[in-house]
Amino acid sequence: SARVPPTPPAGCDYNDFQVPEEFSGALNPGVYCGGLKIDDDDDVNVTFNPGIYFIRDGRLEILDEARVQGDNVSFYFYGDNAELLIAGDARVNLSAQVTGPMAGILMWHDVNATGSAQFLIKSGNVDELVGTIYLPSGEFIGEIAGGGDIAESSAYTAIIAEKVTLKNSANLVLNSDYAATNVPVPAGLSNTGGYVALRQ
């Protein structure tokens, strides 16, 4: 059966929220209006507490050298220009929710959102994206200067997108070690193990 998207809470919990330089700590689920920006500083270390992060009317930006991690988290993008940018040498390790309306879905882009709907990864240190990235009207782009792997340390990654583009010798590694995680796997994926690497 078709998945029903989560219903965003009314209003905004955060407006134009920016994680400052040298921040080390946790962020909480909620509605981030105007997007969420994590600054480019090697002292920035962000942990996403478990839950759903609603990214409304703006981008989730994880910039050069920031370190970001979170387990049992999911991101729902909607509104105007709701997109993703992971830049530079940002280190990212994320895994999707285990239960609830976003179970197994790491990122979901609302089909009615406006803008270019680009989910752009420019860092070669995005090691774990465990779960499904669902972009029914969006484009997943890997563009790593000098090449590099995306999601190579994930137990599994599934991408459902209108378009997938890889540039600059970026490798998108789609592991399928489903038994290594408790993040639910979408129905229809074969439990054959191994991995698939998309290269350009």
Side-chain angles (χ1 to χ4, degrees), residues 26-178:
L27 298 182
N28 292 314
V31 180
Y32 287 78
C33 294
L36 167 59
K37 183 178 181 180
I38 299 174
D39 225 335
D40 54 343
D41 188 300
D42 60 4
D43 291 325
V44 170
N45 196 324
V46 172
T47 297
F48 286 105
N49 282 330
I52 300 176
Y53 293 77
F54 293 92
I55 308 299
R56 171 180 162 187
D57 298 329
R59 290 199 298 190
L60 170 57
E61 297 185 8
I62 304 171
L63 303 182
D64 193 12
E65 297 185 346
R67 298 182 183 197
V68 172
Q69 58 274 327
D71 294 322
N72 202 15
V73 298
S74 296
F75 300 85
Y76 186 75
F77 297 79
Y78 67 109
D80 297 331
N81 302 310
E83 301 177 314
L84 172 71
L85 171 63
I86 302 177
D89 294 318
R91 297 183 177 274
V92 178
N93 295 272
L94 298 170
S95 63
Q97 286 203 289
V98 176
T99 61
M102 291 279 284
I105 307 292
L106 181 61
M107 298 180 188
W108 187 332
H109 183 263
D110 178 19
V111 69
N112 297 312
T114 63
S116 61
Q118 290 188 339
F119 281 59
L120 175 58
I121 295 179
K122 303 183 80 170
S123 170
N125 294 315
V126 180
D127 296 333
E128 286 185 302
L129 297 173
V130 180
T132 299
I133 297 173
Y134 182 45
L135 316 175
S137 61
E139 181 180 9
F140 183 95
I141 305 171
E143 184 179 358
I144 303 170
D149 293 335
I150 299 170
E152 73 277 9
S153 298
S154 305
Y156 87 87
T157 304
I159 296 179
I160 302 170
E162 185 176 54
K163 187 177 182 181
V164 175
T165 303
L166 300 176
K167 304 176 180 179
N168 297 346
S169 299
N171 299 327
L172 173 58
V173 180
L174 303 178
N175 289 322
S176 56
D177 188 3
Y178 306 130

